[in-house]
Amino acid sequence: MIVAGVMSGTSADGINVALVRFDGRFDGKFDGPTSPNTLPRRKQSRGRGRPRYTLIGHEEFPFPARVRSAILAAMNADSASVADLARLNFLVGELYAEAVARTARSAQAKIALVGCHGQTLYHQGEAAAFLGRKLAVTWQTGEGAVVAARLGVPVVSDFRPADMAAGGKGAPLVPFLDYFLYRDTRVGRIAQNIGGIANLTAIRADALLRQILAFDTGPGNMVIDGVMQELFGRLYDRDGRVASAGQVREDVVARLMQAPFFRRQPPRTAGREEFGRDYVARFLRLCRSKKPRLSKADVVATATELTAQSIADAVQRFVLPKEKSYRELVVSGGGTKNPTLMAMLRGQIAPLGLELRFSDEFGIPSDAKEAVAFAVLAYETWYGRPSNVPSATGARRAAILGKISYA
């Protein structure tokens, strides 16, 4: 069975599609890395088959500039046109379908199912008062029924609400895959994804699925990208070149790290509500208030260091005190394409006794991992099995995720 996983993250820079072929039930009863592309197969455990899957193709498609602008404008907006939001929902569904179709043609693959995360417009993991009730809410756009109709196969979408209805924060959901990729009987690993938001999954040596810890560490690329757009009119810092030419202002980073978010106990989630436009504006005001004045490159370098330090702080504060078996930080996501960020992160975690590794070493390309995760989650949903991780999201119980749209 071939399942397409579709992911577009909080940076709204594009659509990632991964095609995954499953062989047998994905029930998680195995240890170690799982990709048969680059790693040797292990023997199946007696009585319970290990899940086998193969990544057979993945591609990335940038959003058209006008669409990306519309998405960013809708995110966490104080006001918006209901008609335009409805149109955007159907338009993004069309773009998802086209991206999956193009990826399937390139791989000459016939897909049977699609797992589509959707584009997050708003996520509030903590309950807040609204019209006499306290509610935690989320909204992912990209109409699953459109994707199903265009591709002629069922689509699982809107994964977060089921976890939230069970008392969870709706995120992170990728830890379900992280556990199966990185669990080891001897070595504790921390899976660190760096997209718009950065999040980690801590898997101690020989851990059970219910024992893993996962949460959002803070900004990933979001603040860096926002600063680049404001100062240079560019979408991101290609290869970390601007940051590499600047000097980090440690006093600015130290001030920012005092924010309550970074001390908040897991489980916790973050999004543009915490680190989007308003945060970038405050960050720039703080930088401009400092003497001597920061250059534009200094500002980008400081934003990059904020990501690295917030990750290391989360690991040191919430992960390492609980367990001494951690040896590796395995990174994935768009942030891995920024060598300056990777060098800063390596420097931050080395004193913690952690080695920096990349998800590519475990058979999953860094920029495909989240799309692979939603192929896995869709597969579980199709067979009626829960795939949230309550220890990661804070849910009271395991939940079958997503809604199914039939062709």
Side-chain angles (χ1 to χ4, degrees):
M1 180 181 191
I2 297 175
V3 183
V6 185
M7 180 67 192
S8 54
T10 48
S11 293
D13 47 4
I15 303 167
N16 285 283
V17 180
L19 304 182
V20 181
R21 177 185 290 115
F22 289 88
D23 175 18
R25 173 174 170 155
F26 196 102
D27 63 6
K29 296 300 179 182
F30 67 99
D31 53 24
T34 65
S35 172
N37 291 325
T38 59
L39 297 164
R41 292 182 182 272
R42 300 186 180 188
K43 292 182 180 179
Q44 295 188 19
S45 59
R46 183 172 297 178
R48 298 297 293 272
R50 66 177 276 252
R52 294 204 297 262
Y53 65 89
T54 308
L55 177 63
I56 62 174
H58 69 96
E59 294 191 32
E60 183 174 358
F61 304 90
F63 280 121
R66 291 173 63 191
V67 175
R68 183 172 190 265
S69 294
I71 291 170
L72 292 175
M75 285 181 176
N76 200 31
D78 291 331
S79 62
S81 162
V82 174
D84 284 348
L85 291 174
R87 293 172 184 130
L88 187 63
N89 181 46
F90 275 68
L91 173 58
V92 172
E94 297 282 2
L95 295 175
Y96 286 154
E98 291 168 8
V100 173
R102 288 174 62 182
T103 306
R105 283 196 299 270
S106 296
Q108 298 183 320
K110 183 176 177 58
I111 61 173
L113 182 68
V114 176
C116 185
H117 175 272
Q119 179 64 56
T120 300
L121 294 186
Y122 186 78
H123 184 76
Q124 177 200 308
E126 300 286 342
F130 179 73
L131 299 181
R133 297 289 184 95
K134 291 195 72 174
L135 303 170
V137 299
T138 192
W139 186 5
Q140 282 70 49
T141 199
E143 182 54 56
V146 170
V147 182
R150 300 297 176 266
L151 298 175
V153 299
V155 174
V156 184
S157 61
D158 210 14
F159 287 86
R160 294 189 184 191
D163 178 81
M164 298 180 78
K169 299 185 183 302
L173 299 179
V174 176
F176 186 82
L177 173 66
D178 287 336
Y179 175 79
F180 301 131
L181 274 176
Y182 302 129
R183 177 180 177 268
D184 188 272
T185 56
R186 294 165 296 177
V187 176
R189 294 189 173 114
I190 302 165
Q192 180 71 55
N193 182 69
I194 308 176
I197 293 296
N199 52 74
L200 67 75
T201 305
I203 310 154
R204 66 172 175 78
D206 209 23
L208 300 175
L209 180 59
R210 67 175 181 271
Q211 295 171 323
I212 67 175
L213 173 69
F215 58 95
D216 288 350
T217 58
N221 305 311
M222 187 175 290
V223 177
I224 303 168
D225 293 349
V227 167
M228 285 296 298
Q229 290 168 39
E230 289 291 326
L231 299 183
F232 295 92
R234 304 179 200 169
L235 295 179
Y236 60 97
D237 183 11
R238 184 182 294 274
D239 298 325
R241 293 171 189 164
V242 176
S244 68
Q247 296 293 319
V248 173
R249 282 292 295 266
E250 293 289 352
D251 56 334
V252 173
V253 177
R255 170 81 175 274
L256 293 167
M257 287 300 301
Q258 293 173 11
F261 174 85
F262 298 115
R263 297 190 298 273
R264 190 182 306 160
Q265 290 283 336
R268 69 186 192 198
T269 64
R272 287 193 175 273
E273 297 73 29
E274 287 80 15
F275 298 107
R277 288 185 296 262
D278 294 343
Y279 187 90
V280 169
R282 294 196 301 272
F283 175 85
L284 289 172
R285 285 197 298 270
L286 178 60
C287 289
R288 288 164 179 157
S289 72
K290 294 295 180 180
K291 303 294 183 183
R293 188 178 178 86
L294 282 71
S295 70
K296 290 183 178 181
D298 293 344
V299 175
V300 178
T302 301
T304 306
E305 178 68 9
L306 173 64
T307 293
Q309 280 200 30
S310 60
I311 291 171
D313 179 77
V315 170
Q316 186 172 24
R317 189 186 298 265
F318 300 117
V319 178
L320 297 185
K322 298 178 183 296
E323 172 63 39
K324 305 303 180 186
S325 69
Y326 295 106
R327 297 290 179 270
E328 300 171 355
L329 186 82
V330 186
V331 291
S332 62
T336 61
K337 299 177 182 179
N338 184 330
T340 305
L341 174 58
M342 292 299 97
M344 290 178 175
L345 182 57
R346 185 178 284 108
Q348 287 288 332
I349 66 170
L352 305 180
L354 296 173
E355 176 188 358
L356 188 71
R357 300 185 66 184
F358 294 85
S359 67
D360 305 64
E361 301 173 47
F362 295 82
I364 299 293
S366 296
D367 52 0
K369 198 190 84 172
E370 287 199 299
V372 170
F374 285 96
V376 169
L377 295 178
Y379 186 82
E380 290 297 281
T381 297
W382 186 248
Y383 287 100
R385 297 190 290 263
S387 55
N388 66 331
V389 181
S391 63
T393 66
R396 292 184 295 271
R397 57 175 174 78
I400 300 171
L401 303 179
K403 299 163 186 172
I404 301 175
S405 300
Y406 294 92

PDB file of all heavy atoms in Angstrom, residues 12 15 62-74 88 91-92 95 119:
ATOM      1  N   ALA A  12       5.093  28.338   5.981  1.00  0.00           N
ATOM      2  CA  ALA A  12       4.262  28.498   4.785  1.00  0.00           C
ATOM      3  C   ALA A  12       5.117  28.716   3.537  1.00  0.00           C
ATOM      4  O   ALA A  12       4.717  29.435   2.623  1.00  0.00           O
ATOM      5  CB  ALA A  12       3.269  29.644   4.960  1.00  0.00           C
ATOM      6  N   ILE A  15       4.954  23.080  -0.001  1.00  0.00           N
ATOM      7  CA  ILE A  15       4.300  21.806   0.261  1.00  0.00           C
ATOM      8  C   ILE A  15       5.320  20.686   0.115  1.00  0.00           C
ATOM      9  O   ILE A  15       5.974  20.566  -0.931  1.00  0.00           O
ATOM     10  CB  ILE A  15       3.145  21.574  -0.737  1.00  0.00           C
ATOM     11  CG1 ILE A  15       2.140  22.731  -0.675  1.00  0.00           C
ATOM     12  CG2 ILE A  15       2.462  20.238  -0.473  1.00  0.00           C
ATOM     13  CD1 ILE A  15       1.154  22.729  -1.833  1.00  0.00           C
ATOM     14  N   PRO A  62       7.099  25.001  -3.822  1.00  0.00           N
ATOM     15  CA  PRO A  62       6.846  26.287  -3.170  1.00  0.00           C
ATOM     16  C   PRO A  62       5.436  26.780  -3.456  1.00  0.00           C
ATOM     17  O   PRO A  62       4.884  26.529  -4.533  1.00  0.00           O
ATOM     18  CB  PRO A  62       7.886  27.214  -3.797  1.00  0.00           C
ATOM     19  CG  PRO A  62       8.224  26.587  -5.104  1.00  0.00           C
ATOM     20  CD  PRO A  62       8.094  25.097  -4.912  1.00  0.00           C
ATOM     21  N   PHE A  63       4.841  27.450  -2.488  1.00  0.00           N
ATOM     22  CA  PHE A  63       3.567  28.097  -2.738  1.00  0.00           C
ATOM     23  C   PHE A  63       3.778  29.258  -3.713  1.00  0.00           C
ATOM     24  O   PHE A  63       4.807  29.953  -3.634  1.00  0.00           O
ATOM     25  CB  PHE A  63       2.980  28.662  -1.442  1.00  0.00           C
ATOM     26  CG  PHE A  63       2.290  27.659  -0.568  1.00  0.00           C
ATOM     27  CD1 PHE A  63       2.723  27.437   0.724  1.00  0.00           C
ATOM     28  CD2 PHE A  63       1.188  26.957  -1.039  1.00  0.00           C
ATOM     29  CE1 PHE A  63       2.074  26.525   1.548  1.00  0.00           C
ATOM     30  CE2 PHE A  63       0.531  26.035  -0.228  1.00  0.00           C
ATOM     31  CZ  PHE A  63       0.973  25.819   1.061  1.00  0.00           C
ATOM     32  N   PRO A  64       2.853  29.496  -4.625  1.00  0.00           N
ATOM     33  CA  PRO A  64       2.917  30.737  -5.407  1.00  0.00           C
ATOM     34  C   PRO A  64       2.982  31.925  -4.458  1.00  0.00           C
ATOM     35  O   PRO A  64       2.382  31.905  -3.374  1.00  0.00           O
ATOM     36  CB  PRO A  64       1.605  30.714  -6.204  1.00  0.00           C
ATOM     37  CG  PRO A  64       1.236  29.266  -6.287  1.00  0.00           C
ATOM     38  CD  PRO A  64       1.689  28.658  -4.991  1.00  0.00           C
ATOM     39  N   ALA A  65       3.705  32.963  -4.854  1.00  0.00           N
ATOM     40  CA  ALA A  65       3.959  34.098  -3.961  1.00  0.00           C
ATOM     41  C   ALA A  65       2.672  34.700  -3.410  1.00  0.00           C
ATOM     42  O   ALA A  65       2.584  35.027  -2.215  1.00  0.00           O
ATOM     43  CB  ALA A  65       4.782  35.152  -4.696  1.00  0.00           C
ATOM     44  N   ARG A  66       1.663  34.845  -4.261  1.00  0.00           N
ATOM     45  CA  ARG A  66       0.410  35.464  -3.811  1.00  0.00           C
ATOM     46  C   ARG A  66      -0.322  34.560  -2.817  1.00  0.00           C
ATOM     47  O   ARG A  66      -0.960  35.040  -1.877  1.00  0.00           O
ATOM     48  CB  ARG A  66      -0.476  35.786  -5.005  1.00  0.00           C
ATOM     49  CG  ARG A  66       0.071  36.900  -5.886  1.00  0.00           C
ATOM     50  CD  ARG A  66      -0.759  37.071  -7.136  1.00  0.00           C
ATOM     51  NE  ARG A  66      -2.125  37.480  -6.840  1.00  0.00           N
ATOM     52  CZ  ARG A  66      -3.110  37.490  -7.740  1.00  0.00           C
ATOM     53  NH1 ARG A  66      -2.870  37.092  -8.980  1.00  0.00           N
ATOM     54  NH2 ARG A  66      -4.313  37.887  -7.387  1.00  0.00           N
ATOM     55  N   VAL A  67      -0.219  33.260  -3.033  1.00  0.00           N
ATOM     56  CA  VAL A  67      -0.869  32.327  -2.104  1.00  0.00           C
ATOM     57  C   VAL A  67      -0.158  32.370  -0.759  1.00  0.00           C
ATOM     58  O   VAL A  67      -0.805  32.410   0.305  1.00  0.00           O
ATOM     59  CB  VAL A  67      -0.875  30.900  -2.680  1.00  0.00           C
ATOM     60  CG1 VAL A  67      -1.431  29.911  -1.658  1.00  0.00           C
ATOM     61  CG2 VAL A  67      -1.675  30.849  -3.973  1.00  0.00           C
ATOM     62  N   ARG A  68       1.166  32.364  -0.787  1.00  0.00           N
ATOM     63  CA  ARG A  68       1.906  32.422   0.476  1.00  0.00           C
ATOM     64  C   ARG A  68       1.572  33.700   1.232  1.00  0.00           C
ATOM     65  O   ARG A  68       1.383  33.676   2.461  1.00  0.00           O
ATOM     66  CB  ARG A  68       3.413  32.342   0.238  1.00  0.00           C
ATOM     67  CG  ARG A  68       4.233  32.321   1.529  1.00  0.00           C
ATOM     68  CD  ARG A  68       5.702  32.049   1.268  1.00  0.00           C
ATOM     69  NE  ARG A  68       6.395  31.794   2.507  1.00  0.00           N
ATOM     70  CZ  ARG A  68       7.060  32.724   3.212  1.00  0.00           C
ATOM     71  NH1 ARG A  68       7.101  33.971   2.773  1.00  0.00           N
ATOM     72  NH2 ARG A  68       7.669  32.400   4.336  1.00  0.00           N
ATOM     73  N   SER A  69       1.472  34.801   0.519  1.00  0.00           N
ATOM     74  CA  SER A  69       1.127  36.067   1.165  1.00  0.00           C
ATOM     75  C   SER A  69      -0.254  35.994   1.814  1.00  0.00           C
ATOM     76  O   SER A  69      -0.472  36.492   2.921  1.00  0.00           O
ATOM     77  CB  SER A  69       1.175  37.212   0.155  1.00  0.00           C
ATOM     78  OG  SER A  69       2.496  37.424  -0.312  1.00  0.00           O
ATOM     79  N   ALA A  70      -1.200  35.353   1.111  1.00  0.00           N
ATOM     80  CA  ALA A  70      -2.553  35.222   1.654  1.00  0.00           C
ATOM     81  C   ALA A  70      -2.559  34.339   2.893  1.00  0.00           C
ATOM     82  O   ALA A  70      -3.266  34.625   3.872  1.00  0.00           O
ATOM     83  CB  ALA A  70      -3.489  34.657   0.588  1.00  0.00           C
ATOM     84  N   ILE A  71      -1.773  33.270   2.883  1.00  0.00           N
ATOM     85  CA  ILE A  71      -1.689  32.378   4.041  1.00  0.00           C
ATOM     86  C   ILE A  71      -1.101  33.121   5.234  1.00  0.00           C
ATOM     87  O   ILE A  71      -1.633  33.084   6.350  1.00  0.00           O
ATOM     88  CB  ILE A  71      -0.857  31.130   3.701  1.00  0.00           C
ATOM     89  CG1 ILE A  71      -1.602  30.235   2.711  1.00  0.00           C
ATOM     90  CG2 ILE A  71      -0.522  30.348   4.975  1.00  0.00           C
ATOM     91  CD1 ILE A  71      -0.760  29.107   2.151  1.00  0.00           C
ATOM     92  N   LEU A  72       0.009  33.818   5.014  1.00  0.00           N
ATOM     93  CA  LEU A  72       0.658  34.531   6.108  1.00  0.00           C
ATOM     94  C   LEU A  72      -0.246  35.623   6.663  1.00  0.00           C
ATOM     95  O   LEU A  72      -0.269  35.866   7.880  1.00  0.00           O
ATOM     96  CB  LEU A  72       1.986  35.123   5.630  1.00  0.00           C
ATOM     97  CG  LEU A  72       3.086  34.108   5.295  1.00  0.00           C
ATOM     98  CD1 LEU A  72       4.311  34.818   4.724  1.00  0.00           C
ATOM     99  CD2 LEU A  72       3.473  33.282   6.505  1.00  0.00           C
ATOM    100  N   ALA A  73      -1.002  36.277   5.776  1.00  0.00           N
ATOM    101  CA  ALA A  73      -1.911  37.322   6.239  1.00  0.00           C
ATOM    102  C   ALA A  73      -3.040  36.755   7.086  1.00  0.00           C
ATOM    103  O   ALA A  73      -3.531  37.406   8.019  1.00  0.00           O
ATOM    104  CB  ALA A  73      -2.481  38.078   5.038  1.00  0.00           C
ATOM    105  N   ALA A  74      -3.455  35.522   6.764  1.00  0.00           N
ATOM    106  CA  ALA A  74      -4.559  34.896   7.494  1.00  0.00           C
ATOM    107  C   ALA A  74      -4.123  34.333   8.836  1.00  0.00           C
ATOM    108  O   ALA A  74      -4.945  34.177   9.750  1.00  0.00           O
ATOM    109  CB  ALA A  74      -5.180  33.784   6.645  1.00  0.00           C
ATOM    110  N   LEU A  88      -9.628  30.245   0.358  1.00  0.00           N
ATOM    111  CA  LEU A  88      -8.268  29.766   0.612  1.00  0.00           C
ATOM    112  C   LEU A  88      -8.272  28.288   0.968  1.00  0.00           C
ATOM    113  O   LEU A  88      -7.390  27.528   0.533  1.00  0.00           O
ATOM    114  CB  LEU A  88      -7.640  30.583   1.744  1.00  0.00           C
ATOM    115  CG  LEU A  88      -6.164  30.331   2.037  1.00  0.00           C
ATOM    116  CD1 LEU A  88      -5.295  30.708   0.846  1.00  0.00           C
ATOM    117  CD2 LEU A  88      -5.735  31.118   3.277  1.00  0.00           C
ATOM    118  N   LEU A  91      -8.637  26.465  -2.290  1.00  0.00           N
ATOM    119  CA  LEU A  91      -7.463  26.668  -3.132  1.00  0.00           C
ATOM    120  C   LEU A  91      -6.284  25.843  -2.645  1.00  0.00           C
ATOM    121  O   LEU A  91      -5.589  25.178  -3.439  1.00  0.00           O
ATOM    122  CB  LEU A  91      -7.087  28.156  -3.149  1.00  0.00           C
ATOM    123  CG  LEU A  91      -5.780  28.510  -3.857  1.00  0.00           C
ATOM    124  CD1 LEU A  91      -5.797  28.053  -5.311  1.00  0.00           C
ATOM    125  CD2 LEU A  91      -5.487  29.991  -3.752  1.00  0.00           C
ATOM    126  N   VAL A  92      -6.035  25.855  -1.335  1.00  0.00           N
ATOM    127  CA  VAL A  92      -4.917  25.076  -0.797  1.00  0.00           C
ATOM    128  C   VAL A  92      -5.156  23.585  -1.037  1.00  0.00           C
ATOM    129  O   VAL A  92      -4.227  22.837  -1.341  1.00  0.00           O
ATOM    130  CB  VAL A  92      -4.700  25.396   0.698  1.00  0.00           C
ATOM    131  CG1 VAL A  92      -3.673  24.458   1.316  1.00  0.00           C
ATOM    132  CG2 VAL A  92      -4.253  26.844   0.863  1.00  0.00           C
ATOM    133  N   LEU A  95      -4.022  22.864  -4.483  1.00  0.00           N
ATOM    134  CA  LEU A  95      -2.560  22.842  -4.577  1.00  0.00           C
ATOM    135  C   LEU A  95      -1.981  21.567  -3.977  1.00  0.00           C
ATOM    136  O   LEU A  95      -1.013  20.997  -4.510  1.00  0.00           O
ATOM    137  CB  LEU A  95      -1.981  24.073  -3.878  1.00  0.00           C
ATOM    138  CG  LEU A  95      -2.333  25.423  -4.513  1.00  0.00           C
ATOM    139  CD1 LEU A  95      -1.795  26.567  -3.663  1.00  0.00           C
ATOM    140  CD2 LEU A  95      -1.793  25.516  -5.938  1.00  0.00           C
ATOM    141  N   GLN A 119      -2.558  23.338   6.280  1.00  0.00           N
ATOM    142  CA  GLN A 119      -1.787  24.531   6.620  1.00  0.00           C
ATOM    143  C   GLN A 119      -2.379  25.183   7.864  1.00  0.00           C
ATOM    144  O   GLN A 119      -3.523  25.623   7.856  1.00  0.00           O
ATOM    145  CB  GLN A 119      -1.813  25.519   5.455  1.00  0.00           C
ATOM    146  CG  GLN A 119      -1.064  26.803   5.716  1.00  0.00           C
ATOM    147  CD  GLN A 119       0.422  26.563   5.907  1.00  0.00           C
ATOM    148  OE1 GLN A 119       1.083  25.982   5.043  1.00  0.00           O
ATOM    149  NE2 GLN A 119       0.958  26.985   7.043  1.00  0.00           N
TER     150      GLN A 119
END
